[in-house]
């Protein structure tokens, strides 16, 4: 076995590989770009080597720099993870030439399977069933037209070198074919540097079912069962599970045999995935991925095996740890890909600071594979995945219950996420019934994008209680510091010089004002809300969570504060309210330290002021361009700009201090 390996990747997969290495007593070397110098994967590895600037092309895709790092650190093998160089035959070859073990298949196997056309020719010879289609070398328009006509419409035009759904086009009728071919060719040439296309029968309601296979250097190949990855958005996987629901036993057996035959046909070594489409009882090979897949944890959960350990053993020349007969699946596992993206805005990546990040508690039923921590940034340079949330239980219904609970418990504030979208899939009766298919999300779209609901009385009560309790804690701390802890001036329990012991609070919910009147009572706060009154009390626990008791209903919720904004996370729902309280506004403004910060990441469009300039309240200071809109930062009151931190054209992160401001003066 190796003493030291280099992990040529970042994020969750680099962390996941490092964990197995640590358990096996193997030393790990991380590599990183400048954007990742303080990243979790760097912290988890024993040593780390800088590769270069943030763009992948200048860092994680630089095979030469990675090999140099391996030499410098004495790493004997390189684990490529997925993506980046994991399916790059040239890199695998360069590793071999440099005397370093590439933890993956041979360059020849990567090459054979890297081309969808070539792999189909191979699979056809090995007797693996294919989607009816054309995967020939002749690429003239006439040849492709004739092929499409013979296959029968609708057809799917695909880039042979494709991946991630790129260069793929559905063509319903012959008159749309030429344009689709030209478009796919352009996209394929740009994305993969190879414009070879293939044409397939477009199946109207398939499921995506894939086989995990493993081969060793002694000629043994086994499969570790199937995964159903039918829940997809734009041909990209969203939820994956194992075993595939409602799959007939004989299909499972036949697919396992086909997966093993496919791997054997190319003398496959290491972890691989043979992907099939399954429709009307038949299955068809679409492609083979010659690496560890993103969704491998569901296989680990049902097989009890660590696939990274298997990879390391095989790469070190050892035989596969278990025979086919010894592999027995147990229970059911589901993985949800948690992304920093905005479902309401066409799933655009949401970059920014992970201000508050609390994954659900891990245990035998819940696993969270992540590469970020609270306080980290989701960068524009890489895939905006936050984590893979994986659940396991004895059967699918129980696993699904775990998934719903874990999604509800997952707390992320700072960036938009797909958590609510995932939760609505997990809650959908058709998903619960196992009615999965690649068209699932499209078919159920109206149910999957829950409308934002206005904050109800329950949410208002939580917001008010949080404000009151934090004020009380702040006052107690101030009193303790003042040397006169019992002074009535520090009390916040409603004590007043006169009898007027109530207070009015106003919250803004998406611009709409919602009032709460607080009456101080010995047993707590009586809150008069728009729909009636409740008794509220509670405390802020050591973790910063709000332990609340509203009319005797006690629970723990999270309220994340930033200035006057409150994000209330309660049972999987998020509400953002702004406290519109003049006293608090003034008090919190004082604490602000006079810096004016960027409300979101963006680019400085214009700077209107310079250091030393005196401005009136409301004067425009800076224009920030973000999300295709302009945001004007104005002077909060009359005062002097003391420092300007940025110039026109600069990129800024959210929360960055744009300028320093000193209120007051003439
Ligand atoms: P990529 O390598 O870009 O991921 P794949 O060939 O693996 O492309 O296909 C990705 C997804 O596209 C599949 O999971 C399926 O949803 C859809 N797809 C691929 N081929 C077909 C087909 N012939 N008919 C219908 N859907 C298909």
């Amino acid at each position: 076995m190796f003493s030291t390996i280099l992990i040529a990747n970042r994020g969750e997969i680099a962390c996941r590989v490092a964990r197995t290495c640590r358990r096996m007593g193997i030393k790990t070397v991380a590599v990183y770009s400048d954007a990742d110098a303080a990243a979790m994967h760097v912290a988890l590895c024993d040593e780390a080597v800088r590769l270069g600037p943030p763009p992948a092309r200048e860092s994680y895709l630089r095979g030469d720099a990675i090999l140099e790092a391996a030499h410098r650190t004495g790493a004997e093998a390189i684990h490529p993870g997925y993506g980046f160089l994991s399916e790059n035959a040239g890199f695998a070859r360069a590793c071999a030439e440099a005397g370093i073990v590439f933890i993956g298949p041979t360059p020849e196997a990567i090459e054979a399977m890297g081309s969808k056309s070539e792999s189909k020719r191979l699979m056809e010879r090995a007797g693996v069933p294919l989607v009816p289609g054309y995967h020939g070398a002749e690429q003239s328009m006439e040849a492709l037209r004739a092929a499409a006509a013979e296959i029968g419409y609708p057809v799917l035009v695909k880039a042979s070198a494709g991946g991630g759904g790129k260069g793929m086009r559905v063509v319903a009728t012959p008159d749309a074919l030429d344009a689709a071919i030209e478009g796919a060719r352009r996209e394929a040439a740009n994305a993969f540097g190879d414009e070879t296309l293939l044409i397939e029968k477009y199946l109207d309601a398939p499921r995506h079912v894939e086989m995990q296979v493993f081969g060793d250097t002694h000629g043994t190949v086994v499969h570790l069962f199937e995964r159903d990855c039918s829940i997809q958005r734009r041909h990209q996987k969203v939820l994956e599970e194992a075993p595939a629901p409602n799959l007939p036993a004989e299909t499972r057996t036949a697919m396992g045999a086909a997966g093993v035959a496919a791997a054997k046909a190319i003398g496959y070594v290491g972890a691989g995935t043979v992907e099939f489409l399954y429709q009307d009882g038949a299955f068809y090979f679409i492609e083979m991925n010659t690496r560890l897949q993103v969704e491998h944890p569901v296989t680990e959960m049902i097989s009890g095996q660590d696939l990274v350990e298997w990879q390391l053993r095989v790469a070190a020349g050892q035989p596969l740890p278990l025979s086919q007969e010894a592999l027995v699946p147990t229970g059911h596992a589901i993985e949800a890909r948690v992304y920093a993206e905005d479902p309401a805005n066409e799933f655009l990546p949401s970059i920014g600071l992970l201000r508050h990040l609390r994954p659900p508690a891990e245990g035998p039923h819940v696993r969270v594979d992540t590469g970020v921590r609270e306080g980290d940034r989701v960068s524009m340079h890489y895939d905006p995945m936050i984590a893979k949330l994986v659940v396991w239980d004895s059967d699918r219904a129980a696993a699904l219950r775990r998934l719903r609970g874990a999604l509800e418990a997952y707390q992320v504030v700072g960036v938009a996420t797909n958590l609510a979208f995932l939760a609505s899939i997990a809650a959908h009766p058709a998903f619960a019934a196992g009615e999965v298919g690649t068209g699932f999300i499209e078919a159920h779209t109206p149910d999957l994008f829950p409308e934002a609901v206005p904050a109800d009385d329950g949410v208002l009560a939580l917001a008010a209680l949080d404000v009151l309790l934090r004020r009380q804690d702040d006052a107690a701390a101030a009193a303790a510091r003042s040397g006169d802890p019992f002074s009535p001036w520090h009390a916040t329990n409603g004590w007043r010089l006169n009898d007027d012991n109530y207070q009015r609070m106003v919250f803004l919910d998406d611009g709409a004002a919602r009032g709460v009147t607080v009456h101080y009572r010995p047993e707590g706060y009586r809150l008069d809300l728009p729909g009636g009154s409740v008794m509220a009390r509670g405390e802020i626990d050591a973790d910063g969570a709000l332990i609340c008791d509203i009319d005797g209903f006690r629970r723990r919720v999270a309220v994340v504060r930033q200035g006057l904004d409150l994000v209330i996370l309660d049972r999987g729902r998020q509400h953002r309210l702004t406290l519109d309280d003049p006293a608090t506004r003034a008090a919190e403004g004082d604490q602000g330290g006079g810096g004016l910060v960027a409300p979101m990441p963006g680019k400085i469009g214009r700077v209107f002021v310079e250091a030393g300039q005196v401005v009136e309240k409301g004067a425009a200071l800076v224009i920030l361009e973000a999300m295709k809109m302009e945001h004007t930062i104005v002077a909060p009151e009359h005062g002097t700009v003391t420092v300007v931190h940025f110039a026109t054209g600069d990129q800024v992160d959210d929360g960055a201090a744009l300028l320093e401001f000193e209120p007051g003066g003439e």
Side-chain angles (χ1 to χ4, degrees):
M1 186 46 68
F2 313 109
S3 313
T4 304
I5 73 154
L6 182 146
I7 304 170
N9 215 299
R10 63 178 303 282
E12 70 85 16
I13 191 62
C15 297
R16 189 255 164 278
V17 172
R19 279 210 185 80
T20 291
C21 290
R22 173 154 303 170
R23 185 174 57 69
M24 294 174 68
I26 299 169
K27 202 169 123 187
T28 51
V29 179
V31 287
Y32 64 93
S33 74
D34 292 336
D36 282 339
M40 186 172 171
H41 77 276
V42 174
L44 268 181
C45 289
D46 297 304
E47 292 173 352
V49 179
R50 174 183 177 271
L51 292 176
R57 220 155 264 301
E58 297 168 53
S59 51
Y60 298 104
L61 287 173
R62 280 197 52 202
D64 57 336
I66 290 169
L67 280 171
E68 197 190 309
H71 282 307
R72 260 172 85 181
T73 54
E76 305 142 80
I78 294 180
H79 194 301
Y82 54 73
F84 296 132
L85 295 170
S86 62
E87 291 176 289
N88 185 314
F91 180 66
R93 206 162 270 138
C95 286
E97 281 160 12
I100 289 172
V101 176
F102 175 79
I103 302 173
T106 59
E108 293 73 33
I110 298 176
E111 254 154 16
M113 290 301 177
S115 150
K116 291 189 208 285
S117 305
E118 165 77 10
S119 68
K120 290 202 158 161
R121 290 194 283 269
L122 274 166
M123 291 305 107
E124 200 164 37
R125 260 180 268 140
V128 176
L130 304 182
V131 185
Y134 173 78
H135 42 264
E138 171 63 56
Q139 293 282 309
S140 69
M141 195 58 98
E142 298 72 54
L144 295 177
R145 271 194 215 121
E150 195 183 321
I151 295 162
Y153 286 84
V155 297
L156 186 64
V157 177
K158 271 190 200 180
S160 176
K166 274 203 202 93
M168 221 189 262
R169 281 182 172 60
V170 183
V171 186
T173 51
D175 55 315
L177 185 69
D178 288 18
I181 287 176
E182 276 158 21
R185 218 172 238 165
R186 248 193 330 271
E187 213 168 303
N190 281 338
F192 314 108
D194 174 357
E195 52 178 41
T196 313
L197 301 179
L198 59 131
I199 302 186
E200 276 175 9
K201 176 84 194 155
Y202 181 67
L203 303 180
D204 61 339
R207 284 168 60 178
H208 175 116
V209 184
E210 58 185 33
M211 271 289 156
Q212 174 71 54
V213 296
F214 237 104
D216 65 16
T217 48
H218 308 272
T220 310
V221 177
V222 299
H223 71 79
L224 289 98
F225 326 111
E226 82 283 2
R227 295 182 285 257
D228 190 308
C229 314
S230 298
I231 306 296
Q232 303 181 345
R233 202 183 64 77
R234 298 218 186 127
H235 306 307
Q236 305 237 43
K237 297 160 188 168
V238 175
L239 285 173
E240 301 102 343
E241 58 185 310
N246 312 324
L247 190 72
E250 60 275 18
T251 305
R252 175 168 290 130
T253 307
M255 203 182 269
V260 169
K264 280 202 164 142
I266 54 166
Y268 197 78
V269 172
T273 295
V274 185
E275 297 191 330
F276 299 98
L277 292 180
Y278 170 64
Q279 184 175 310
D280 304 326
F283 62 87
Y284 314 93
F285 170 86
I286 48 172
E287 67 164 344
M288 179 167 184
N289 291 320
T290 53
R291 53 170 156 83
L292 194 66
Q293 298 268 91
V294 175
E295 60 273 21
H296 75 276
V298 292
T299 299
E300 298 187 320
M301 298 295 259
I302 63 157
S303 66
Q305 301 302 308
D306 179 335
L307 297 193
V308 172
E309 178 176 346
W310 280 48
Q311 285 188 297
L312 293 166
R313 291 197 182 286
V314 165
Q318 297 180 14
L320 291 174
L322 290 178
S323 67
Q324 190 69 66
E325 296 68 45
L327 283 160
V328 181
T330 315
H332 198 98
I334 312 177
E335 172 180 287
R337 298 191 185 189
V338 180
Y339 267 94
E341 62 184 15
D342 188 359
N345 194 4
E346 294 183 22
F347 291 88
L348 276 184
S350 175
I351 57 173
L353 179 69
L354 293 161
R355 213 174 281 294
H356 173 92
L357 179 65
R358 306 289 156 89
E362 288 190 81
H365 295 280
V366 177
R367 165 173 168 184
V368 181
D369 279 19
T370 188
V372 288
R373 304 150 296 192
E374 187 167 283
D376 284 350
R377 298 191 156 275
V378 177
S379 136
M380 59 193 265
H381 298 289
Y382 315 110
D383 184 57
M385 186 196 272
I386 296 174
K388 301 185 313 204
L389 172 62
V390 191
V391 296
W392 177 91
D393 213 316
S394 53
D395 59 35
R396 189 171 188 268
L400 194 48
R401 221 162 35 236
R402 299 267 179 201
L403 180 65
R404 292 190 198 116
L407 285 168
E408 190 178 296
Y410 217 124
Q411 300 177 357
V412 185
V413 177
V415 296
T417 72
N418 64 344
L419 280 165
F421 174 68
L422 294 170
S424 47
I425 298 174
H428 202 283
F431 185 70
E435 292 162 13
V436 296
T438 60
F440 183 94
I441 289 176
E442 208 166 44
H444 298 290
T445 291
D447 307 334
L448 302 181
F449 295 84
E451 293 243 326
V453 286
D456 60 11
D457 278 10
V459 174
L460 276 181
L462 294 173
L465 183 61
D466 190 76
V467 171
L468 291 162
L469 292 172
R470 279 181 213 273
R471 260 186 212 160
Q472 190 178 304
D473 286 357
D474 289 349
R481 280 198 305 271
S482 74
D484 181 9
F486 304 106
S487 161
W489 301 108
H490 296 302
T492 53
N493 57 358
W495 181 89
R496 294 285 163 95
L497 279 171
N498 54 39
D499 283 333
D500 184 18
N501 68 340
Y502 72 88
Q503 189 205 335
R504 180 108 180 118
M505 259 185 217
V506 176
F507 292 97
L508 299 176
D509 177 13
D510 208 9
R514 315 181 118 252
V516 182
T517 305
V518 184
H519 300 267
Y520 297 85
R521 294 278 181 271
E523 66 275 25
Y525 304 102
R526 197 189 88 202
L527 306 177
D528 294 344
L529 302 157
S533 297
V534 295
M535 272 309 297
R537 58 188 170 182
E539 62 188 17
I540 307 295
D541 75 4
D543 212 23
L546 169 65
I547 311 290
C548 61
D549 176 331
I550 310 272
D551 277 344
F553 176 19
R554 203 180 142 86
R555 63 197 208 281
R556 189 170 187 268
V557 302
V559 180
V560 181
R561 288 286 293 267
Q562 200 207 356
L564 294 180
D565 284 336
L566 294 93
V567 180
I568 297 110
L569 297 116
D570 183 25
R571 304 168 142 214
R573 278 191 180 277
Q574 265 199 31
H575 297 275
R576 184 177 294 271
L577 295 175
T578 306
L579 182 60
D580 190 31
D581 179 79
T584 315
R585 193 202 288 275
E588 308 238 344
D590 282 351
Q591 291 166 10
L596 289 170
V597 300
M600 60 189 73
K603 198 176 88 177
I604 303 292
R606 241 180 115 178
V607 181
F608 295 101
V609 290
E610 51 191 42
Q613 193 168 331
V614 176
V615 291
E616 295 305 317
K617 175 175 177 173
L621 305 176
V622 168
I623 286 183
L624 179 70
E625 295 171 358
M627 311 269 182
K628 298 188 191 126
M629 292 198 319
E630 289 193 347
H631 302 266
T632 308
I633 312 293
V634 301
E637 55 191 295
H638 179 89
T640 309
V641 175
T642 53
V643 187
V644 179
H645 292 296
F646 292 95
T648 304
D650 286 349
Q651 286 286 346
V652 295
D653 286 325
D654 64 337
L658 299 175
L659 27 82
E660 301 299 324
F661 180 79
E662 204 157 276
E666 265 314 289

